[in-house]
Amino acid sequence: MFSRRGFPRASGQPVLIDFERSIFERAAYDDDRGSVFKRDDTGRGFGVRVRRMLTGSNPVTPEKSKEMVKLLKRENKAPVVLVIGGGAIGAGADPLYDTEHIQIVGTDVYASNNTDVVADGHFLPFRDEVFDAVWIQAVLEHVLDPPAVVAEIYRVLKPGGIVYADTPFIQQVHEQAYDFTRFTLSGHRWLFRRFEEIDSGAVGGAGKALVWSIRYVALSLGFNTRVATLVALPFFWLRFIDYFAKPGPKSDAASGVFFFGRRSETALNAKDMLRYYASKHPR
């Protein structure tokens, strides 16, 4: 197909998507960006700022992005990091972008100032073992086949390469038809079973999840997104409960979960998962 028609382009970027196997249609890229939604890629828009005030920032990504930078710089003078879903820079991921001599290759399913290639994470258009790290933040809930995407991450990472992923657990649908899956902490670990864990845990607890739910109660009653956000805003303080939560119970009621690890030559087996859960719930 592409040998006859060529690759489409969006904002001058190549659209390297196998449309016969992807949820996306070639016709969606006839415009300048290929985005199926109106998006704020700056993170500075009024709506984004109000929602951030409501639900708070991601408490994990600033720490893990700095840790990833430290590990990368220790092992490679000029590491290359693939960001999947990098149309907008994820909250807390700035150290990756701001550190000298780290090359970022940004991909997403639409073009933006932060992307280099438009690509579907199920079929990454890169050779095997070319990246030192992969960053995939709040993306795996939006793909049809998360194990296929994680297999692609494994394929393009160098041996011992680093991955950071965070994914919702208790959150309602937030990308309309492009929202498919949620993960418990254990389910997320099993998804990354071919990786050695450096760290994993909750991203927000029951308090943050409760604030999300209050907003979606308003949405379920037919209010638009702006009004629903304003209805939930007086309850923003509930997310501060999470600062007092115990790690094990917090992960069982988490708004989201994260995994930070390395590509490994060994994988977890089924019985390892019982020990994993127990390790996250010390008595």
Side-chain angles (χ1 to χ4, degrees):
M1 176 179 68
F2 291 119
S3 62
R4 296 191 302 273
R5 299 178 60 189
F7 290 100
R9 299 185 77 83
S11 295
Q13 298 175 8
V15 180
L16 305 181
I17 293 176
D18 183 345
F19 292 108
E20 300 212 348
R21 293 191 291 166
S22 176
I23 194 172
F24 298 100
E25 299 286 347
R26 186 184 179 106
Y29 295 88
D30 290 340
D31 66 7
D32 192 42
R33 298 182 69 205
S35 179
V36 293
F37 299 111
K38 184 178 179 181
R39 300 177 186 271
D40 174 16
D41 299 325
T42 68
R44 301 187 187 95
F46 177 77
V48 173
R49 284 184 289 166
V50 171
R51 284 194 296 276
R52 195 167 291 162
M53 186 188 306
L54 175 63
T55 60
S57 60
N58 184 321
V60 175
T61 49
E63 175 190 338
K64 295 308 167 191
S65 58
K66 291 175 184 175
E67 191 173 344
M68 180 179 279
V69 167
K70 185 178 179 181
L71 291 172
L72 288 172
K73 298 294 280 184
R74 183 188 303 164
E75 298 167 9
N76 192 326
K77 291 182 179 179
V80 183
V81 179
L82 173 64
V83 179
I84 301 174
I89 297 175
D94 303 85
L96 286 174
Y97 291 81
D98 296 341
T99 302
E100 231 182 342
H101 305 305
I102 290 182
Q103 180 185 345
I104 301 293
V105 177
T107 70
D108 212 317
V109 294
Y110 68 98
S112 85
N113 291 334
N114 304 307
T115 56
D116 302 286
V117 173
V118 177
D120 185 330
H122 296 86
F123 325 106
L124 292 172
F126 304 108
R127 291 182 291 110
D128 295 355
E129 300 182 0
V130 292
F131 293 103
D132 298 284
V134 172
W135 185 271
I136 179 165
Q137 182 179 353
V139 172
L140 286 167
E141 72 271 31
H142 301 305
V143 304
L144 274 172
D145 191 351
V149 174
V150 174
E152 281 290 271
I153 292 170
Y154 187 91
R155 180 183 67 81
V156 301
L157 270 176
K158 295 177 182 177
I162 305 166
V163 63
Y164 172 82
D166 66 33
T167 313
F169 172 30
I170 301 178
Q171 290 183 15
Q172 289 78 7
V173 169
H174 52 267
E175 284 268 358
Q176 300 176 26
Y178 299 90
D179 196 336
F180 304 103
T181 309
R182 299 293 182 268
F183 288 96
T184 64
L185 183 61
S186 291
H188 205 237
R189 180 67 185 97
W190 183 248
L191 184 65
F192 287 91
R193 61 188 174 274
R194 297 176 70 192
F195 294 79
E196 174 191 354
E197 180 180 305
I198 299 171
D199 195 11
S200 66
V203 180
K208 185 170 183 174
L210 183 55
V211 175
W212 264 83
S213 293
I214 291 170
R215 181 170 178 265
Y216 274 81
V217 167
L219 287 169
S220 74
L221 295 173
F223 294 109
N224 64 37
T225 55
R226 179 170 290 187
V227 172
T229 301
L230 292 175
V231 167
L233 200 55
F235 300 95
F236 77 94
W237 58 271
L238 289 169
R239 60 184 168 84
F240 294 108
I241 293 171
D242 296 338
Y243 289 105
F244 305 98
K246 304 295 183 184
K250 180 179 180 179
S251 66
D252 285 347
S255 175
V257 296
F258 78 91
F259 176 80
F260 185 51
R262 288 185 180 275
R263 176 180 149 157
S264 175
E265 299 306 312
T266 60
L268 295 178
N269 62 49
K271 289 185 175 60
D272 289 328
M273 295 311 302
L274 302 179
R275 290 187 287 271
Y276 174 77
Y277 183 85
S279 74
K280 296 297 182 180
H281 294 74
R283 293 183 179 179

